[in-house]
Amino acid sequence: MTALNTLIPPERLLLNSKAGSKRSLLIEITGLIPNIDADQALEVISAREKLGSTGIGHGVAIPHGRLADLTSPIIAIVRHMQGIDFDSIDGQPVHIVVLLLAPDNEDQAHLDLLAHLARILKSEQVRQAIMQAESAEAVSALFPPPVRQAA
Amino acid sequence: MNVLILGAGEVGFGIAQRLATEGNDVVVIDTDAERLQRVANTMDVKTITGFAAHPSVLKQAGAANADLLIAATTNDEVNMLACQVAHSLFKVPTKMARVREPDYVNSAAELIGRDDLPIDRIISPEREAAKAVIKRFQVSSAMDAQEFADGRVQLLGLRVPPKGALAGLCLNGLDEVLGALRVYVVAHEHNNRWRVPKGDDVLLAGDSIYVAIAGKHVADFPRLIGLKDEMSSIRNVLLIGGGNVGYIVAQELEKIGVAPKLIEHNRDRASWLADRLNETVVICGDALDRELLEEENIREMDDFLALTNDDETNILASLIAKKYMVPHIITLVNRAIYSDLVREIGLDVTVSPRLTTVASILSHVRTGRVLGISSLGDGSLEVFEAEALETCDILDTPLSDLRLPPNTVIGAVVRGEEVIIPSGETRIEPHDHVLIVTTAASTKEVEKLFEVHLEFF
C-alpha cells in the first residue's frame, strides 16, 4: 500500500518528454510502468487510438486499454512542453498525456476511473498547475483517488 | 500520422501524393535522387536518398516515429526485408509490402504473420489490376456486384432497361414498384456523371445505378425490374497479353464460365499458359497483327481486354479493336501520363495497376472500425462498410435527424443476420454494420461518424 494519497506516484511521471511523435510518446509512457509487457501494452493502446483519438482537447490525452495480467488499474503521466500532434478532436497539440491501463474485468470501475481523470483534467487550473509544476510530487498531488462510496 | 514510403515509382508516388494531401507527415525513400526531386517538386513530403532496407537509412527517415511503412520499391525482396528491419529495429506498428512475384504471393498466408515475416498486408499490383479488370468486365455486361458483410448485403450495379418498371421512375416511388422487396439506390449515373441520388431524382432508360439489396433478394430483383438475365449469355472475349495480369484474368473468366481467346507474344510463355488454362484458347502471336486479329474473329468479339506489360501496345491494340467496333474495350495503362490521354482518344475504360494499388493500400490506412472501402462507378464515389461501436456519433439518432456529410447515404444496415434497408426512422445500434456511399470529398467526415469517444474502453 502506498502511503501517498495519489493515483499516480512520482516514479510514474515524466515531466520533460522529448518524444518526436505520438507513437514514440506512447512507447515512452508505457515504459514508465514496471512489470508489464510494454510491447503488448503499446499494441493495446495503439489499437484503441485507431478507433478514435483519446486526445480530448485543451492539450490533454488519456490513452487507455486493458491488459489481462494486471491486478489493479495503473496510471502514468507524461508532460511534453512543446506539445505533440495527437490527432486530438480540437486539432491542437497535446501537452499532458495520462495513460490508464486496467485489468481485463470490472467494466464500470474502469469507466469511473477514466471519468474521474477526465474530470480532474477538465479544470484549466489543474492543467496550468501541471504545466508549471517543477517536481513530479507536485503533479502527483493533483491526482487524488476518487472518493469511494461504501459498498 | 507519420508514414514512410519506400520507392518513388508510380505506386509510391501515387500513395505519397494522396496521403500528403490528406495531411499526413510523409517521408519518401528512393535510391534515385532525380526521381525524388520530382516527388519533392510535386508535393509536401520529406525525401531521403538511400537504400530502402538499410537500418541507417530507415533510422534517418524517422522509422522510430513512423505509424505506417509502405514498401513499394520495384524489388520484392527489398520490400519484404525492409518490413523485417522496420519491425525488429524500429517497432513500426503497421507494415505493407508490394510483392509482384506470384511464387511469393501464392504462399502469402503461410509466409506472413506475427512470428513469420512481419508484414501486415501484401499488396500485389497485378492481382489488384486483375481484380479491377474483372470488375469492369462485369459492369460492361450490365451487372456489377459487390458483396458486403459476408454477402448478406450486395451492391448491384445495373443499367436502367428501356422497357421496365424503373425507366421514368422517381426514386420516391420505388417502393410502390418493388412492393415488399426493398432496395436503396445509392448511386446514379446520367450522362457519364456519377452522383449520390436524392429522393426526387428520376431514373431514365440508359442510366446506370447501384442499389443496396439483401443478398437473399438478389436473384429476384433483375426480373422484377424487367432486366433480362444478361449474365448467362455467353460472351466472346479476346484478351491480349499473358503476363501476370492476363493469366489471373483468364483464370477468373474461366471461373465465371467465359472461355476467352488469349494472344501472347512469347512462345515459351504461351505454351506455359496453354498448360495451365483449361478453357482458354491460347494463341502465340503479335497482338498488333491485323491479319491475326481478323483470323481470330475480332469483329465478333463482345469484349477486348488489352493487358500486356506495354502501355503503348495496349493503347494501339485497343484502338484497332475500336476500329473493328468491339463494344467493350478495357485497356491496361500503367503510366500516369497516359491515363488522361487515352480518354481523349476515345478509350473510355482503362485500368491502372497504380491507381488500383493505391486505392487498396489506402483502404487499409483508414481509422476507426472501417472494415472495407471500395469505389463505385468511375471511381468518384466510395463505399464504406463500417462497424458502429459504442459511443460513436452515428448511434441512436433516427436517420432523418442524423447530420450526414454532403452527398452521403446509408444504403443498408446489417444487424446480426438481419439486413435492414433503412428509412428515416431507422436508428443505428452498437455493432451494426453500416454500408455508406459518399464522395471522395466527404470520406474524412464519414470516418469521423465512426470514431469512438473517450469513454470507449
Side-chain angles (χ1 to χ4, degrees), chain A residues 20-24 27 39 43 48 50-54 56 62 64-66 85 87 100 102 110-111 114 118, chain B residues 1-2 63-67 90-93 114 364 366-369 389 450-457:
Chain A
S21 67
K22 177 174 181 175
R23 196 168 79 81
S24 55
I27 293 174
D39 281 355
E43 214 168 281
R48 170 60 187 80
K50 250 197 131 179
L51 299 177
S53 174
T54 58
I56 52 175
I62 315 181
H64 53 270
R66 294 171 195 279
D85 179 18
D87 313 314
L100 168 59
H110 307 332
L111 274 177
L114 181 63
Chain B
M1 192 163 56
N2 295 314
N65 290 327
D67 302 290
F90 304 105
K91 295 199 163 79
V92 176
R114 250 194 106 122
H364 297 284
R366 305 286 165 194
T367 54
R369 268 297 166 92
L389 291 171
F450 291 93
E451 276 181 13
V452 300
H453 288 195
L454 177 71
E455 61 271 26
F456 186 87
F457 218 110

Side-chain angles (χ1 to χ4, degrees), chain A:
Chain A
M1 274 285 142
T2 164
L4 274 165
N5 191 30
T6 178
L7 286 168
I8 315 164
E11 65 270 21
R12 276 189 255 126
L13 276 149
L14 178 69
L15 291 189
N16 49 357
S17 166
K18 293 276 172 276
S21 67
K22 177 174 181 175
R23 196 168 79 81
S24 55
L25 193 140
L26 292 179
I27 293 174
E28 205 167 55
I29 200 165
T30 47
L32 290 173
I33 299 175
N35 306 325
I36 58 160
D37 181 341
D39 281 355
Q40 202 200 340
L42 181 65
E43 214 168 281
V44 166
I45 55 176
S46 302
R48 170 60 187 80
E49 290 298 321
K50 250 197 131 179
L51 299 177
S53 174
T54 58
I56 52 175
H58 302 288
V60 175
I62 315 181
H64 53 270
R66 294 171 195 279
L67 275 187
D69 28 336
L70 284 181
T71 48
S72 60
I74 196 157
I75 305 171
I77 290 195
V78 163
R79 182 175 77 179
H80 197 286
M81 296 311 282
Q82 291 77 36
I84 202 123
D85 179 18
F86 216 86
D87 313 314
S88 288
I89 48 172
D90 61 357
Q92 296 299 309
V94 157
H95 297 278
I96 304 165
V97 179
V98 181
L99 169 71
L100 168 59
L101 291 174
D104 213 350
N105 58 17
E106 282 184 85
D107 291 20
Q108 197 49 47
H110 307 332
L111 274 177
D112 291 346
L113 190 53
L114 181 63
H116 176 69
L117 290 170
R119 218 172 301 126
I120 292 174
L121 290 158
K122 216 173 173 179
S123 150
E124 194 181 341
Q125 236 176 330
V126 170
R127 295 197 302 267
Q128 269 176 8
I130 294 174
M131 291 312 290
Q132 284 155 10
E134 311 238 330
S135 71
E137 284 75 10
V139 176
S140 273
L142 295 165
F143 288 87
V147 184
R148 276 186 191 258
Q149 309 280 329

Side-chain angles (χ1 to χ4, degrees), chain B residues 332-354:
Chain B
L332 194 70
V333 178
N334 257 298
R335 295 187 59 191
I337 188 166
Y338 286 144
S339 296
D340 301 324
L341 208 64
V342 289
R343 210 147 283 162
E344 277 174 36
I345 56 176
L347 298 176
D348 294 326
V349 184
T350 57
V351 167
S352 147
R354 173 185 58 96

Side-chain angles (χ1 to χ4, degrees), chain B residues 171-189:
Chain B
L171 288 184
N172 284 327
L174 197 61
D175 284 354
E176 287 163 37
V177 173
L178 296 177
L181 194 157
R182 298 214 49 201
V183 302
Y184 202 111
V185 180
V186 294
H188 178 202
E189 174 269 340

Side-chain angles (χ1 to χ4, degrees), chain B residues 234-239 247 249-262 272-283:
Chain B
I234 301 298
R235 309 176 67 81
N236 294 316
V237 180
L238 182 61
L239 195 161
Y247 175 52
V249 168
Q251 277 180 315
E252 293 299 319
L253 287 176
E254 289 187 355
K255 274 186 211 159
I256 55 176
V258 176
K261 287 185 177 176
L262 191 163
W272 185 93
L273 289 165
D275 285 346
R276 281 163 183 78
L277 294 166
N278 297 324
E279 310 295 331
T280 307
V281 180
V282 181
I283 301 143

